[in-house]
Amino acid sequence: MSLTLTTPDAETPALAPRERETLHHIAAGRTYAQTARHMGLSTHTVDAYLRRIRAKLDISTTAELTRLAISLGL
């Protein structure tokens, strides 16, 4: 199964650009605080982005998020 994060299809909803960027930082091993500083956001906003990503993609753990991001080349 191939997932795309930019174009919605019947199986996978698209992620917003900031959600993609957040996913990239988390997959790179950054903490919420590091991600927030790099993106100029609060940690609460980073947490909100990650909650939305998890909901859209039905992912429950950071390990799953990281595996997905790596498989997508983020």
Side-chain angles (χ1 to χ4, degrees):
M1 178 171 95
S2 175
L3 296 177
T4 179
L5 296 181
T6 55
T7 332
D9 63 27
E11 296 179 22
T12 306
L15 295 181
R18 293 297 263 181
E19 292 170 343
R20 286 178 56 88
E21 184 179 354
T22 303
L23 181 57
H24 170 79
H25 290 296
I26 295 303
R30 292 185 180 91
T31 65
Y32 282 28
Q34 291 168 331
T35 299
R37 272 194 309 273
H38 191 271
M39 295 176 67
L41 304 170
S42 74
T43 56
H44 296 290
T45 303
V46 169
D47 181 57
Y49 285 158
L50 290 169
R51 280 186 279 119
R52 287 197 315 231
I53 293 167
R54 286 185 173 112
K56 286 180 180 182
L57 302 177
D58 194 29
I59 291 176
S60 59
T61 68
T62 301
E64 288 175 299
L65 279 174
T66 301
R67 185 174 41 141
L68 173 66
I70 290 168
S71 73
L72 295 169
L74 294 179

Coordinates of all heavy atoms in Angstrom, one line a residue:
M1 N 0.8 -1.2 0.0 CA 0.0 0.0 0.0 C 0.9 1.2 0.0 O 1.8 1.4 0.8 CB -0.9 0.0 1.2 CG -1.8 1.2 1.4 SD -3.0 1.0 2.7 CE -2.1 1.9 4.0
S2 N 0.6 2.2 -0.9 CA 1.4 3.4 -1.0 C 0.5 4.5 -0.4 O -0.6 4.7 -0.8 CB 1.7 3.6 -2.4 OG 2.4 4.9 -2.5
L3 N 1.1 5.3 0.5 CA 0.4 6.4 1.1 C 1.0 7.7 0.6 O 2.2 7.9 0.5 CB 0.5 6.4 2.6 CG -0.1 5.2 3.4 CD1 0.2 5.3 4.9 CD2 -1.5 5.1 3.2
T4 N 0.1 8.6 0.3 CA 0.6 10.0 -0.1 C 0.0 11.0 1.0 O -1.1 10.8 1.4 CB 0.1 10.3 -1.5 OG1 0.6 11.7 -1.7 CG2 -1.4 10.3 -1.7
L5 N 0.8 11.9 1.3 CA 0.4 12.9 2.3 C 0.0 14.2 1.7 O -0.3 15.1 2.5 CB 1.6 13.1 3.3 CG 1.9 11.8 4.1 CD1 3.0 12.2 5.1 CD2 0.7 11.3 4.9
T6 N 0.1 14.3 0.4 CA -0.3 15.6 -0.2 C -1.6 15.6 -0.9 O -2.3 16.6 -1.0 CB 0.8 16.1 -1.1 OG1 1.0 15.1 -2.1 CG2 2.1 16.4 -0.4
T7 N -2.0 14.5 -1.4 CA -3.2 14.4 -2.2 C -4.2 13.4 -1.5 O -3.8 12.3 -1.3 CB -3.0 13.9 -3.6 OG1 -1.7 14.2 -4.0 CG2 -4.0 14.4 -4.6
P8 N -5.4 13.8 -1.2 CA -6.3 12.9 -0.6 C -6.8 11.8 -1.6 O -6.9 12.0 -2.8 CB -7.5 13.8 -0.2 CG -7.3 15.1 -0.9 CD -5.9 15.2 -1.4
D9 N -7.0 10.6 -1.0 CA -7.6 9.6 -1.8 C -8.6 8.9 -0.9 O -8.8 9.3 0.2 CB -6.5 8.6 -2.4 CG -5.7 7.9 -1.3 OD1 -6.2 7.7 -0.2 OD2 -4.5 7.5 -1.6
A10 N -9.1 7.8 -1.4 CA -10.2 7.1 -0.7 C -9.7 6.5 0.6 O -10.4 6.3 1.6 CB -10.8 6.0 -1.5
E11 N -8.3 6.2 0.7 CA -7.8 5.5 1.9 C -7.1 6.5 2.9 O -7.1 6.3 4.1 CB -6.8 4.4 1.5 CG -7.5 3.3 0.7 CD -6.5 2.3 0.3 OE1 -5.4 2.2 0.9 OE2 -6.8 1.6 -0.7
T12 N -6.4 7.5 2.4 CA -5.6 8.3 3.2 C -5.9 9.8 3.0 O -5.7 10.3 2.0 CB -4.1 8.1 2.9 OG1 -3.8 6.7 2.9 CG2 -3.2 8.8 3.8
P13 N -6.3 10.5 4.1 CA -6.5 11.9 4.0 C -5.2 12.6 3.9 O -4.2 12.2 4.3 CB -7.2 12.3 5.4 CG -7.3 11.0 6.2 CD -6.6 9.9 5.4
A14 N -5.2 13.8 3.2 CA -4.0 14.6 3.0 C -3.7 15.3 4.3 O -4.5 15.6 5.1 CB -4.3 15.6 1.9
L15 N -2.4 15.5 4.5 CA -1.9 16.2 5.6 C -1.6 17.7 5.2 O -1.0 17.9 4.1 CB -0.6 15.6 6.2 CG -0.7 14.2 6.8 CD1 0.6 13.8 7.3 CD2 -1.8 14.2 7.9
A16 N -1.9 18.6 6.0 CA -1.5 20.0 5.8 C 0.0 20.2 5.8 O 0.7 19.4 6.4 CB -2.2 20.9 6.8
P17 N 0.5 21.2 5.1 CA 2.0 21.4 5.1 C 2.6 21.5 6.5 O 3.7 20.9 6.7 CB 2.1 22.7 4.3 CG 0.9 22.8 3.4 CD -0.2 22.1 4.3
R18 N 2.0 22.1 7.4 CA 2.5 22.2 8.8 C 2.5 20.9 9.5 O 3.3 20.6 10.3 CB 1.8 23.3 9.6 CG 2.1 24.7 9.1 CD 3.5 25.1 9.1 NE 3.7 25.9 10.3 CZ 4.9 26.4 10.7 NH1 5.9 26.3 9.9 NH2 5.0 27.1 11.8
E19 N 1.5 20.1 9.2 CA 1.4 18.7 9.8 C 2.6 17.9 9.2 O 3.2 17.2 10.0 CB 0.1 18.1 9.5 CG -1.1 18.7 10.2 CD -2.4 18.2 9.7 OE1 -2.5 17.6 8.6 OE2 -3.4 18.4 10.4
R20 N 2.8 18.0 7.9 CA 3.9 17.3 7.3 C 5.3 17.7 7.9 O 6.1 16.9 8.2 CB 4.0 17.6 5.8 CG 2.9 16.9 5.0 CD 3.0 17.2 3.5 NE 4.4 17.0 2.9 CZ 4.7 15.8 2.4 NH1 3.9 14.8 2.3 NH2 5.9 15.7 1.9
E21 N 5.4 19.0 8.1 CA 6.7 19.5 8.7 C 6.8 19.0 10.1 O 7.9 18.6 10.5 CB 6.6 21.1 8.7 CG 7.9 21.7 9.2 CD 7.9 23.2 9.1 OE1 7.0 23.8 8.6 OE2 8.9 23.8 9.6
T22 N 5.8 19.0 10.9 CA 5.8 18.5 12.2 C 6.2 17.0 12.2 O 7.0 16.6 13.0 CB 4.4 18.7 12.9 OG1 4.1 20.1 12.9 CG2 4.5 18.2 14.4
L23 N 5.6 16.3 11.4 CA 5.9 14.8 11.3 C 7.4 14.6 10.9 O 8.0 13.8 11.5 CB 5.0 14.2 10.2 CG 5.2 12.7 10.0 CD1 5.0 11.9 11.3 CD2 4.2 12.2 8.9
H24 N 7.9 15.4 10.0 CA 9.3 15.4 9.6 C 10.2 15.6 10.9 O 11.1 14.8 11.1 CB 9.6 16.4 8.6 CG 11.1 16.6 8.3 ND1 11.8 15.7 7.5 CD2 11.9 17.5 8.7 CE1 13.0 16.1 7.5 NE2 13.2 17.2 8.2
H25 N 9.9 16.6 11.7 CA 10.7 16.9 12.8 C 10.7 15.7 13.9 O 11.7 15.3 14.4 CB 10.3 18.2 13.5 CG 10.7 19.4 12.7 ND1 12.0 19.7 12.4 CD2 9.9 20.3 12.1 CE1 12.0 20.8 11.7 NE2 10.7 21.2 11.5
I26 N 9.5 15.2 14.1 CA 9.3 14.2 15.1 C 10.0 12.9 14.6 O 10.7 12.2 15.4 CB 7.8 13.9 15.4 CG1 7.2 15.1 16.1 CG2 7.6 12.7 16.3 CD1 7.9 15.6 17.4
A27 N 9.9 12.6 13.3 CA 10.6 11.4 12.8 C 12.1 11.6 12.8 O 12.8 10.6 12.9 CB 10.1 11.2 11.3
A28 N 12.6 12.8 12.8 CA 14.0 13.1 12.9 C 14.5 12.9 14.3 O 15.7 13.1 14.6 CB 14.3 14.4 12.3
G29 N 13.6 12.7 15.3 CA 14.0 12.5 16.6 C 13.9 13.7 17.5 O 14.4 13.7 18.7
R30 N 13.4 14.8 17.0 CA 13.2 16.0 17.8 C 12.1 15.8 18.8 O 11.1 15.2 18.6 CB 13.0 17.2 16.9 CG 14.2 17.5 16.1 CD 14.0 18.8 15.3 NE 15.2 19.1 14.5 CZ 15.4 18.7 13.3 NH1 14.4 18.0 12.6 NH2 16.5 19.0 12.6
T31 N 12.2 16.5 20.0 CA 11.2 16.5 21.0 C 10.1 17.5 20.5 O 10.3 18.3 19.6 CB 11.7 16.9 22.3 OG1 12.2 18.3 22.2 CG2 12.9 16.0 22.8
Y32 N 9.0 17.5 21.2 CA 7.9 18.5 21.0 C 8.5 19.9 21.1 O 8.2 20.7 20.3 CB 6.7 18.3 21.9 CG 5.8 17.1 21.6 CD1 6.2 16.0 20.9 CD2 4.5 17.2 22.0 CE1 5.4 14.9 20.7 CE2 3.6 16.1 21.7 CZ 4.1 15.0 21.0 OH 3.2 14.0 20.8
A33 N 9.3 20.1 22.2 CA 9.8 21.4 22.5 C 10.8 21.8 21.4 O 10.7 23.0 20.9 CB 10.5 21.4 23.8
Q34 N 11.6 20.9 20.9 CA 12.6 21.3 19.9 C 11.8 21.6 18.6 O 12.2 22.5 17.8 CB 13.6 20.1 19.6 CG 14.5 19.9 20.8 CD 15.3 18.6 20.7 OE1 14.8 17.6 20.1 NE2 16.5 18.6 21.2
T35 N 10.8 20.8 18.3 CA 10.0 21.0 17.1 C 9.3 22.3 17.1 O 9.3 23.1 16.2 CB 9.0 19.8 16.9 OG1 9.7 18.6 16.8 CG2 8.1 20.0 15.7
A36 N 8.7 22.6 18.3 CA 8.0 23.9 18.5 C 9.0 25.1 18.3 O 8.6 26.0 17.5 CB 7.4 24.0 19.9
R37 N 10.2 25.0 18.8 CA 11.1 26.1 18.7 C 11.5 26.3 17.2 O 11.6 27.4 16.7 CB 12.4 25.8 19.5 CG 12.3 26.4 20.9 CD 13.7 26.4 21.6 NE 14.4 25.1 21.5 CZ 14.3 24.1 22.4 NH1 13.5 24.2 23.4 NH2 15.0 23.0 22.2
H38 N 11.8 25.2 16.5 CA 12.2 25.2 15.2 C 11.2 25.8 14.2 O 11.4 26.5 13.3 CB 12.6 23.8 14.7 CG 13.3 23.8 13.4 ND1 12.7 23.8 12.2 CD2 14.7 23.9 13.1 CE1 13.6 23.8 11.2 NE2 14.8 23.9 11.7
M39 N 9.9 25.5 14.5 CA 8.8 25.9 13.7 C 8.2 27.2 14.2 O 7.3 27.7 13.5 CB 7.7 24.8 13.7 CG 8.1 23.5 13.0 SD 6.9 22.2 13.1 CE 5.6 22.9 12.0
G40 N 8.6 27.8 15.3 CA 8.1 29.0 15.8 C 6.7 28.8 16.4 O 5.8 29.7 16.3
L41 N 6.4 27.7 17.0 CA 5.1 27.4 17.6 C 5.2 27.1 19.0 O 6.3 26.9 19.6 CB 4.5 26.1 16.9 CG 4.4 26.1 15.3 CD1 4.1 24.8 14.8 CD2 3.4 27.1 14.9
S42 N 4.1 26.9 19.7 CA 4.1 26.4 21.1 C 4.0 24.9 21.0 O 3.7 24.3 20.0 CB 2.8 27.0 21.8 OG 1.7 26.3 21.4
T43 N 4.4 24.3 22.2 CA 4.4 22.9 22.2 C 3.0 22.4 22.1 O 2.7 21.3 21.7 CB 5.0 22.3 23.5 OG1 4.4 23.0 24.7 CG2 6.5 22.6 23.6
H44 N 2.0 23.2 22.6 CA 0.6 22.8 22.5 C 0.2 22.7 21.0 O -0.6 21.8 20.7 CB -0.3 23.8 23.2 CG 0.0 23.9 24.7 ND1 -0.4 22.8 25.6 CD2 0.6 24.8 25.4 CE1 0.0 23.2 26.8 NE2 0.6 24.3 26.7
T45 N 0.7 23.6 20.2 CA 0.3 23.5 18.8 C 0.9 22.3 18.1 O 0.3 21.6 17.3 CB 0.8 24.8 18.0 OG1 0.2 25.9 18.7 CG2 0.4 24.8 16.6
V46 N 2.2 22.0 18.5 CA 2.8 20.8 17.9 C 2.0 19.5 18.4 O 1.7 18.6 17.6 CB 4.3 20.7 18.4 CG1 4.9 19.3 18.1 CG2 5.1 21.8 17.8
D47 N 1.6 19.5 19.6 CA 0.8 18.4 20.1 C -0.5 18.3 19.3 O -1.0 17.2 19.0 CB 0.5 18.6 21.6 CG -0.3 17.4 22.2 OD1 0.1 16.3 22.1 OD2 -1.4 17.7 22.7
A48 N -1.1 19.4 19.1 CA -2.4 19.4 18.3 C -2.2 18.9 16.9 O -3.0 18.1 16.4 CB -3.0 20.8 18.2
Y49 N -1.1 19.3 16.2 CA -0.8 18.8 14.9 C -0.6 17.3 14.9 O -1.2 16.6 14.1 CB 0.5 19.4 14.3 CG 0.3 20.9 13.9 CD1 1.5 21.7 13.8 CD2 -0.9 21.4 13.5 CE1 1.4 23.0 13.3 CE2 -1.0 22.7 13.0 CZ 0.2 23.5 12.9 OH 0.1 24.8 12.5
L50 N 0.1 16.8 15.9 CA 0.4 15.4 16.0 C -0.9 14.6 16.3 O -1.1 13.5 15.8 CB 1.5 15.1 17.0 CG 2.8 15.5 16.5 CD1 3.9 15.4 17.6 CD2 3.3 14.7 15.3
R51 N -1.8 15.2 17.1 CA -3.1 14.5 17.4 C -3.9 14.4 16.1 O -4.6 13.4 15.9 CB -3.8 15.2 18.5 CG -3.4 14.9 19.9 CD -4.2 15.5 21.0 NE -3.8 16.8 21.2 CZ -4.5 17.9 21.1 NH1 -5.8 17.8 20.7 NH2 -4.1 19.1 21.3
R52 N -3.9 15.5 15.3 CA -4.7 15.5 14.1 C -4.1 14.5 13.1 O -4.8 13.8 12.4 CB -4.7 16.9 13.4 CG -5.6 17.8 14.2 CD -5.9 19.1 13.4 NE -4.8 19.7 12.7 CZ -4.5 21.0 12.7 NH1 -5.2 21.8 13.5 NH2 -3.5 21.4 12.0
I53 N -2.7 14.4 13.0 CA -2.1 13.4 12.1 C -2.5 12.0 12.6 O -2.9 11.2 11.7 CB -0.6 13.6 12.1 CG1 -0.2 14.9 11.5 CG2 0.1 12.4 11.4 CD1 1.3 15.3 11.8
R54 N -2.4 11.7 13.9 CA -2.8 10.4 14.4 C -4.2 10.1 14.0 O -4.5 8.9 13.7 CB -2.5 10.3 15.9 CG -1.0 10.2 16.2 CD -0.9 10.0 17.7 NE 0.5 9.8 18.0 CZ 1.3 10.6 18.7 NH1 0.8 11.8 19.1 NH2 2.5 10.3 18.9
A55 N -5.1 11.0 14.2 CA -6.5 10.8 13.9 C -6.7 10.5 12.4 O -7.5 9.6 12.1 CB -7.4 12.0 14.4
K56 N -6.1 11.4 11.6 CA -6.3 11.2 10.1 C -5.8 9.9 9.6 O -6.4 9.3 8.7 CB -5.6 12.3 9.4 CG -6.2 13.7 9.4 CD -5.4 14.7 8.7 CE -6.0 16.1 8.7 NZ -5.2 17.0 7.9
L57 N -4.7 9.4 10.2 CA -4.0 8.2 9.7 C -4.2 7.0 10.6 O -3.7 5.9 10.3 CB -2.5 8.5 9.5 CG -2.2 9.6 8.6 CD1 -0.7 9.9 8.5 CD2 -2.7 9.4 7.2
D58 N -5.0 7.1 11.6 CA -5.3 6.1 12.5 C -4.0 5.4 13.1 O -3.8 4.2 13.0 CB -6.2 5.0 11.9 CG -6.8 4.0 12.9 OD1 -7.0 4.5 14.0 OD2 -7.1 2.9 12.5
I59 N -3.2 6.3 13.6 CA -1.9 5.9 14.2 C -1.9 6.2 15.6 O -2.4 7.3 16.0 CB -0.7 6.6 13.5 CG1 -0.6 6.1 12.0 CG2 0.6 6.4 14.2 CD1 0.4 6.8 11.2
S60 N -1.4 5.3 16.5 CA -1.6 5.6 17.9 C -0.2 5.8 18.6 O -0.2 6.3 19.7 CB -2.3 4.4 18.6 OG -1.6 3.2 18.4
T61 N 0.9 5.5 18.0 CA 2.2 5.7 18.7 C 3.1 6.5 17.9 O 3.0 6.6 16.7 CB 2.9 4.3 19.0 OG1 3.3 3.8 17.7 CG2 2.0 3.4 19.8
T62 N 4.1 7.1 18.6 CA 5.1 7.9 17.9 C 6.0 7.0 17.0 O 6.4 7.4 16.0 CB 6.0 8.6 19.0 OG1 5.2 9.5 19.7 CG2 7.1 9.5 18.3
A63 N 6.2 5.8 17.5 CA 7.0 4.8 16.7 C 6.3 4.6 15.3 O 7.0 4.6 14.3 CB 7.2 3.5 17.4
E64 N 5.0 4.4 15.3 CA 4.3 4.3 14.0 C 4.4 5.5 13.2 O 4.5 5.4 12.0 CB 2.8 4.0 14.3 CG 2.5 2.6 14.8 CD 1.1 2.4 15.2 OE1 0.6 3.1 16.1 OE2 0.5 1.5 14.6
L65 N 4.3 6.7 13.8 CA 4.4 8.0 13.1 C 5.8 8.0 12.4 O 5.9 8.4 11.2 CB 4.3 9.2 14.0 CG 2.9 9.6 14.4 CD1 3.0 10.7 15.5 CD2 2.2 10.1 13.2
T66 N 6.8 7.7 13.2 CA 8.2 7.7 12.7 C 8.4 6.7 11.5 O 9.0 7.1 10.5 CB 9.2 7.4 13.8 OG1 9.0 8.4 14.8 CG2 10.6 7.4 13.3
R67 N 7.9 5.5 11.7 CA 8.0 4.5 10.6 C 7.3 5.0 9.3 O 7.8 4.9 8.2 CB 7.4 3.2 11.1 CG 7.5 2.1 10.1 CD 7.0 0.8 10.7 NE 5.8 1.0 11.4 CZ 4.8 0.1 11.4 NH1 4.9 -1.0 10.7 NH2 3.7 0.4 12.1
L68 N 6.1 5.6 9.5 CA 5.4 6.1 8.3 C 6.2 7.3 7.7 O 6.4 7.3 6.4 CB 4.0 6.7 8.7 CG 3.2 7.4 7.6 CD1 2.9 6.5 6.5 CD2 2.0 8.1 8.2
A69 N 6.7 8.2 8.5 CA 7.5 9.3 7.9 C 8.7 8.8 7.2 O 9.0 9.3 6.1 CB 7.9 10.2 9.0
I70 N 9.4 7.8 7.7 CA 10.6 7.3 7.1 C 10.2 6.6 5.7 O 10.9 6.8 4.7 CB 11.3 6.4 8.0 CG1 12.0 7.2 9.1 CG2 12.4 5.6 7.3 CD1 12.5 6.3 10.3
S71 N 9.1 5.9 5.8 CA 8.7 5.2 4.6 C 8.3 6.1 3.5 O 8.4 5.8 2.3 CB 7.6 4.2 4.9 OG 6.4 4.8 5.1
L72 N 7.9 7.3 3.9 CA 7.5 8.4 2.9 C 8.6 9.3 2.5 O 8.4 10.2 1.8 CB 6.3 9.2 3.5 CG 5.0 8.4 3.7 CD1 4.0 9.2 4.4 CD2 4.4 7.9 2.3
G73 N 9.8 9.1 3.1 CA 10.9 9.9 2.7 C 10.9 11.2 3.4 O 11.6 12.2 2.9
L74 N 10.2 11.4 4.5 CA 10.2 12.7 5.2 C 11.4 12.7 6.1 O 11.8 13.6 6.6 CB 8.9 12.8 6.0 CG 7.6 13.0 5.2 CD1 6.4 13.1 6.1 CD2 7.7 14.1 4.2

